[in-house]
Each structure stands twice: as structure tokens, then as C-alpha cells.
Amino acid sequence: MSALRASLLRQIRAQGPISVADYMTQCLLHPKHGYYATRDPLGAAGDFTTAPEISQMFGEVIGLLLAQVWLDQGAPAGFTLAELGPGRGTLMADALRATARVPGFHAALRLHLVEASPPLRAAQAARLEAFAPIWHDSADTLPDQPLLLIANEFFDALPIRQFLRQGAGWAERMIGAESDDLVLGLAPPAPLATLARRLDDTQEGQIVETCAPAQPVIEAIRRRIVAHGGFALIVDYGDWRSQGDTLQALRAHRHDDPLAHPGEADLTAHVDFEALAEAARPLRATELTPQGVLLERLGITARAEALARSLSGSELESHIAAHRRLTHPGEMGHLFKALGLYPATAPPPPGFDA
Ligand code: SAH
């Protein structure tokens, strides 16, 4: 039995069932046995892949979007370029390469990375050394200045709680122990003020999810952009409102039972974008835009054609497949969504409907 499973079983036997959020927190972030604490999970040898790892074009067009927003907001001297959960640093490296020729952009930026994983911090350090990044444990310590921020597949890794509708109350899904197995159960139903609005769009037996740790992250972003200007781009899978059980585990690129391999599988949940947009007020939120639509509007196809000119054979084939994978509605193009947050006094960011 893995050390983390043993420790979870001990805790549950001593103190009773734990919430899905407690379970996710320990599985992902336990300092010794947590998923992110112990490995680089990305790429072919890992458990999952992400848009920036599929093609350099993703980071390139996002970099150019950020530079355009910077220009549109008057090109402030001295701003924070930040990423939440930068993985291997691939997106940021591509964004910085693509923006090297935007006059003044690199001179004005300081790179800040919010990252919990020691192995991934090391990968980021190797990749982004030339920009002398400053690491943070949370968004709370980002500098007080204009902020351009990107978060790709970060919010889906934050722990969620799950509630099952029962009458006008909500029964929280809890994780208990039966012999050596972790099993799902339900706490007794209770009314919940924070879910009052969800009584309108749910029925008996449906599940909704909440993500409390997202709130202080958005709060930290909001404060800086309200005070100094800037822009935050959040890309993730999810919808305007979370609906149903979206907790999922990925292990070696396959779906896994979320309770089967604690600490050895990636655990994620869909992002409830409405909750992020609400927490960001009075910042404006763009329309929630499918990733494929955003990338097309930002010119990914022209970039793909330019890159294709120097490719042939199997390289060209995989380049074409990568473009399709990022943009096609049947692949990542529709499942992944983008939300932009910006000050009411600034022009809307390119690529979104205002
Ligand atoms: N953005 C990257 C990686 C996505 S994986 C990409 O698109 O390839 C999720 C990232 O968020 C990893 O870097 C992980 O270590 C980081 N992460 C997860 N939970 C975190 C937390 N609570 N605080 C800081 N970083 C976290």
C-alpha cells in the first residue's frame, strides 16, 4: 500500500471522513507524497499533456496577445508578467520569444512565477533563466504594480468540494474508509448560503462543485489590476457554471478512478468560470470564449502556415495535427475556454467579444 493511502486511511479512521477538497489537497500537494511534490507530470512519459506542450504556437499567440494589451494600456514602464502554475515553463518561454521584438516590452517586464512543485520550479529555472524569474508560493506576494497574468490549466488543479442537492439542502460528498479502500459517502444535508443561487438551476440528486481556494487567488489579481491596470487570461476546461461531478484522475494518459491511486494520478475538476468572474468584480470579464475561437482570432492559422513552410514529412504532419488539436471543436478547441479580466477603464483585449 502506498504511504499516502496508508496515511489517509489512518486519518479517516481516527477523525472520520474527509472532504473531496481535503483529499485533493493531500493527493496533489502533500510535501512528501503529493503528486506535484514528487514529479514532473507533463509530456509523453508523464500523465497528461497541455496546450503549450503540444505546440509552440500556443505560447506565441498568447505572448503577442499580452503584448498587445500592454500597448493598448499605454505601455506602462515596470510591470509584472506573471504565470500561475507554469509547468515546464514552455508557454512562458514561447511567449517571451515571440515578444522579443515588441519595442520596450521586455525592458519593462519582471517575470514572476507562482508554483508549488519543486521539480517543476527546477524545470522553469532551466527554461527561463535569462529572465531571472522570481518564484512565489501564492499570488498574494506578487508586486504591487501593473499585472499581466496567464494561468493555463492552473485553476483545474485547485481542490474542490462537491455537494449533492437534497430538497433545499446540500449533502457534501465525503471520503471514508472501508477496510483498505477509500470510498465515497455523503454527509447529512444542510442548507448552504453560498449555494443559494444554485437552487434555481439544479434538481434533486444533482451535484455542484465549489472551489474556495480560487477566491483568494482572484482577489490578489483583482486588487493589483484595479489599482495599477493590467490583464489576466485564464484558460482551462470548464464552463460558465459547474454542473455535475467533474472530478477526474489521469494516470499515464488514461482516465483512472480518482480514489484508486492517491498521490500517483493527476486530479482535476472543471473550472466554474462564473465564480471567477464574480470574484474579480469590479474588473470586467470578457465573454467566456472557446480556446479554438480565441486562437483563430489571434492569428494561429497564419502562424501555423508560416511554420509549415520550413517543415516536411512527418514533422509537417505532426505540426498540422498539433494545430488541429489546439483549435478543433472535437479536440481541445471547445472543451477549453478562455476568460479575460481587465479594468473597466481599459479597452477590451483583442480576440474576445467585448
Ligand atoms: N500551465 C502549465 C502546467 C499545467 S499543470 C501547462 O499548461 O503546461 C498545473 C500547474 O499548476 C503545475 O505547474 C502545478 O505544479 C501547478 N500547481 C498546482 N496546484 C498549485 C498550487 N496550489 N499552487 C501553485 N501551483 C500549483
Side-chain angles (χ1 to χ4, degrees), residues 321-336:
H323 174 254
R324 185 186 152 87
R325 204 162 158 202
L326 292 180
T327 57
H328 194 276
E331 305 217 24
M332 295 174 81
H334 191 76
L335 178 64
F336 282 76

Side-chain angles (χ1 to χ4, degrees), residues 28-29 36 41-42 48-53 58 83-91 114-117 120 124 136-138 151-154 156-159 266:
L28 294 176
L29 299 174
Y36 283 116
L42 289 148
F48 62 97
T49 192
T50 57
E53 301 296 332
F58 187 77
E83 183 168 359
L84 306 180
R88 290 178 171 168
T90 308
L91 188 163
V114 177
E115 176 56 68
S117 158
L120 289 177
Q124 293 153 21
H136 300 258
D137 293 330
S138 93
N152 184 60
E153 290 210 46
F154 170 78
D156 67 35
L158 299 184
D266 185 40

Side-chain angles (χ1 to χ4, degrees), residues 11-93:
Q11 183 191 347
I12 292 166
R13 284 185 192 124
Q15 293 159 29
I18 59 173
S19 69
V20 172
D22 285 346
Y23 177 72
M24 273 183 93
T25 303
Q26 296 202 44
C27 289
L28 294 176
L29 299 174
H30 187 286
K32 252 181 42 213
H33 311 300
Y35 182 75
Y36 283 116
T38 50
R39 72 198 75 206
D40 170 356
L42 289 148
D47 294 301
F48 62 97
T49 192
T50 57
E53 301 296 332
I54 290 169
S55 168
Q56 67 185 72
M57 297 185 290
F58 187 77
E60 288 172 350
V61 297
I62 285 177
L64 293 170
L65 164 62
L66 296 178
Q68 187 61 53
V69 169
W70 177 73
L71 290 168
D72 290 345
Q73 292 191 15
F79 75 95
T80 301
L81 178 62
E83 183 168 359
L84 306 180
R88 290 178 171 168
T90 308
L91 188 163
M92 191 52 78

